[in-house]
Amino acid sequence: MPKNRNVFSSGRRAARGGLAHRAVQAGWRWAQRRGAVTAEQPGGYRFRAIGPGTKLAFPQGTVFGEPWIRLGAHCIIGEQVTLTAGMMPDLDLGPDPILTLGDGVVIGRGGHVVADTTVAIGSDVYMGPYVYITSTNHSYDDPHEPVGRQWPRMEPVEIGPGCWIGTGAVILPGARLGRNVVVAAGAVVRGTVPDHAVVAGAPAKVVRTWDEEAGWQPPLRTPAPRPIPADITPEQLLALSELEDRQ
């Protein structure tokens, strides 16, 4: 025999579930707004500087050594991004900043920037999700000692302005990236990369370069996208992005 189902009770349960769902979503959006870190709303963080328009999305990842971290203006730091200066919290790292971000830097969700010694990221550097940048690597000189117990090696890292670093890329100690470098997703970069180069692979190798006379070599396979019209306003761009989100 089929069980007797109360349609009205099922409807009430569904309605309560819908209300709970909307309440949770509204509460999370409220937490995201209130939990974001900005120059005007730094929370418990004590950064050396946070430029105007810069925001660290909520929830933040591991953050320590803030007095030695300088963030430029109009940076976007995604959720769960780690920013650290020094090997552990509460160290005195001297008078100068260790980790610096220029203006307009974007770090995608889940990125890590670990600066045990100097890491300098130029203006307008864009990173996809889960990029890992570190100035420290484990050493394994002593074959009889666990690797994790051996003193690490540190080398400064420098990323020039205008670079694009793809999802899951790793930038190793001592890396020097020039201006407008493209790092392919998943690449592992060490050493010096010249301006206007594309690198890919693990270890990363230069796969494309740009020359003033010859252009891109090897040539690009797709035509360049149409540029944004010069007369378009930021408000129009925002409205366009909101329209695309609704579609």
Side-chain angles (χ1 to χ4, degrees), residues 22-42:
R22 287 194 292 273
V24 169
Q25 292 293 320
W28 181 249
R29 288 192 294 270
W30 178 88
Q32 287 179 309
R33 290 192 300 271
R34 298 299 298 170
V37 171
T38 64
E40 298 76 24
Q41 184 177 289

Side-chain angles (χ1 to χ4, degrees), residues 123-127 159-165 177-182:
S123 296
D124 301 311
V125 170
Y126 282 49
M127 306 179 202
I159 298 174
C163 292
W164 161 245
I165 303 176
L177 277 63
R179 183 183 186 89
N180 285 24
V181 169
V182 175

Side-chain angles (χ1 to χ4, degrees), residues 42-54:
Y45 296 112
R46 299 175 292 113
F47 288 102
R48 171 71 62 94
I50 305 181
T54 287

